Amino acid sequence: MKLQRKNRLRALTLGAVAVSGALALTACGSDDNGGGSKASGNSSSAANASSIKCDGAKGQLLSDGSSAQKNAIDAWVKNFSQACGVQINYKAGGSGAGVTSFTQGQIPWAGSDSALKPEEVAASKKVCNGGQGIDLPMVGGPIAIGYNLNGVDNLVLDAPTLAKIFDGKITNWNDQVIKKLNPSAKLPDLKIQAFHRSDDSGTTDNFTKYLIATAPNDWKYSGGKTWQAKGGQSAAQSSGVAQQVKQTNGAIGYFELSYVGDGIKPVSIDTGAAQPVAPSTESATKAIADAKVVGTGSDLSLKLNYNTKADGAYPITLVTYEIACDKGNKADTLPTVKSFLNYMASEDGQKLLSGIDYAPMPDAIISKVRSTIATLS
């Protein structure tokens, strides 16, 4: 009897191992790169994992860049790692840090909320053997202007007012300019504490591009990843700015929509449309759909219309680019980079975004991204 019981237990154990091994192989063996069930930031369904095409992905993958897309990357990494057994470490140290690490050959792929500048493309040619760095638009979303002001649940601002607030020209919440835009709000006699990014940031670049385009008389700076206006207070990365706003009554700052909530309220923007527009994935997608591809060759950098007055289009949007070599990628990381980028651009990967406060790329743009990823070598 004892011998029979041992044999029976051994058979059950071997059967369990075989089933788990088959499941693991199925997760990495599917050739379907789209469709399937919707992924979310909170869970990874078996159907989503099985839709990921691993294509030789293995080992570890290091990257750095935009903190704006960190929540999206985290959700993608969770699904991809489950399917392919790859460890991905995305540092999210900011767009400037990511581009620098990429052009210095420290990482095979980076995230940036701004397209590569000519000098950055030139630098990338030293690490992309026979090629250069290209921009692949992957993640969209609104740059929310978040505020913390006790007793004020709805706040409307326009571009000139935002420019004056972040340039230290409007310093109190009960200023007549703000009152005029919010006639029914009980605005307190309280100092405005404006927070901006301390690190080089594509979020800063896009926010200031909006101010330059829509309030040129009130925003006299040239723009770029580095904050140029005097005054105000600074914090590192989007999470740092959001944390400062959250804990400071009278504070205002700029960051991605995913950081709004839990003590932070979003500003609605008076664009000149019929109604002020609040940030949302839908209102951001409306604005991004009006963008034009201005990159050449394999580069898919976009020009956004920050001055839109279309009803329901939120004007302060950004697009995060994944930056990789078009040619000359290192052989040991190319399969993993391509596989992960393919998942991000896939139907499932893009569906995931709207559930975590990001905007999927419009079909006309993401289809070009998928075709370009297939040519990376």
Side-chain angles (χ1 to χ4, degrees):
M1 290 293 292
K2 288 183 178 179
L3 183 58
Q4 287 177 341
R5 188 179 295 116
K6 282 184 178 180
N7 288 337
R8 196 159 51 240
L9 287 171
R10 183 172 180 271
L12 288 170
T13 301
L14 289 172
V17 170
V19 170
S20 64
L23 287 173
L25 289 171
T26 300
C28 277
S30 171
D31 289 332
D32 180 13
N33 196 37
S37 64
K38 180 178 178 179
S40 73
N42 298 321
S43 64
S44 301
S45 68
N48 185 272
S50 67
S51 74
I52 297 172
K53 189 176 179 181
C54 296
D55 271 344
K58 61 182 179 179
Q60 296 183 348
L61 189 64
L62 304 179
S63 185
D64 195 2
S66 163
S67 63
Q69 69 170 355
K70 183 181 186 304
N71 293 339
I73 292 289
D74 286 348
W76 279 326
V77 166
K78 183 178 180 180
N79 289 344
F80 188 80
S81 296
Q82 176 184 336
C84 300
V86 174
Q87 181 181 340
I88 298 177
N89 180 9
Y90 182 75
K91 189 176 177 182
S95 297
V99 171
T100 297
S101 293
F102 174 76
T103 56
Q104 291 179 351
Q106 298 170 0
I107 55 175
W109 137 74
S112 176
D113 305 319
S114 299
L116 291 170
K117 295 178 180 178
E119 61 269 25
E120 293 168 339
V121 173
S124 73
K125 292 180 179 180
K126 298 177 182 178
V127 296
C128 300
N129 188 16
Q132 65 180 49
I134 58 171
D135 302 287
L136 302 170
M138 194 73 74
V139 182
I143 299 174
I145 309 300
Y147 72 99
N148 177 357
L149 192 58
N150 291 344
V152 180
D153 294 327
N154 296 291
L155 186 68
V156 175
L157 297 174
D158 59 14
T161 305
L162 282 170
K164 291 172 185 173
I165 287 173
F166 281 92
D167 198 24
K169 303 293 175 56
I170 293 179
T171 58
N172 222 60
W173 280 111
N174 65 351
D175 188 282
Q176 291 300 316
V177 173
I178 302 177
K179 281 185 174 181
K180 186 176 180 180
L181 290 165
N182 301 272
S184 61
K186 295 182 179 179
L187 296 165
D189 182 6
L190 180 67
K191 180 183 177 182
I192 296 173
Q193 300 197 53
F195 286 89
H196 58 265
R197 290 281 290 271
S198 60
D199 53 321
D200 282 1
S201 161
T203 310
T204 293
D205 190 16
N206 282 274
F207 177 46
T208 54
K209 280 179 180 175
Y210 163 74
L211 295 177
I212 292 167
T214 55
N217 294 328
D218 298 296
W219 194 260
K220 300 293 187 179
Y221 305 98
S222 61
K225 293 188 182 77
T226 303
W227 184 259
Q228 296 172 327
K230 308 301 180 184
Q233 301 179 65
S234 65
Q237 304 178 11
S238 293
S239 57
V241 174
Q243 182 61 32
Q244 291 298 320
V245 173
K246 177 181 176 180
Q247 65 189 22
T248 308
N249 183 36
I252 189 170
Y254 58 93
F255 30 72
E256 295 65 49
L257 182 61
S258 57
Y259 292 97
V260 169
D262 191 21
I264 301 176
K265 304 180 186 73
V267 171
S268 293
I269 305 298
D270 183 349
T271 64
Q275 297 292 333
V277 186
S280 70
T281 57
E282 294 81 7
S283 61
T285 297
K286 275 193 175 183
I288 295 170
D290 195 31
K292 292 178 173 59
V293 175
V294 294
T296 58
S298 298
D299 187 82
L300 297 176
S301 56
L302 304 174
K303 182 177 181 179
L304 299 172
N305 180 12
Y306 297 102
N307 214 9
T308 180
K309 293 178 173 57
D311 288 341
Y314 184 79
I316 319 176
T317 58
L318 63 75
V319 169
T320 299
Y321 299 95
E322 311 312 327
I323 295 171
C325 296
D326 58 353
K327 299 176 183 176
N329 287 277
K330 294 180 180 178
D332 58 340
T333 56
L334 178 59
T336 307
V337 170
K338 285 186 72 171
S339 179
F340 189 48
L341 291 176
N342 270 323
Y343 168 55
M344 294 161 73
S346 71
E347 183 179 345
D348 275 349
Q350 289 292 301
K351 279 182 180 178
L352 176 151
L353 294 175
S354 58
I356 51 175
D357 293 326
Y358 292 98
M361 287 293 99
D363 289 342
I365 294 174
I366 201 65
S367 62
K368 293 178 182 178
V369 172
R370 292 168 184 154
S371 297
T372 302
I373 293 170
T375 67
L376 300 183
S377 62

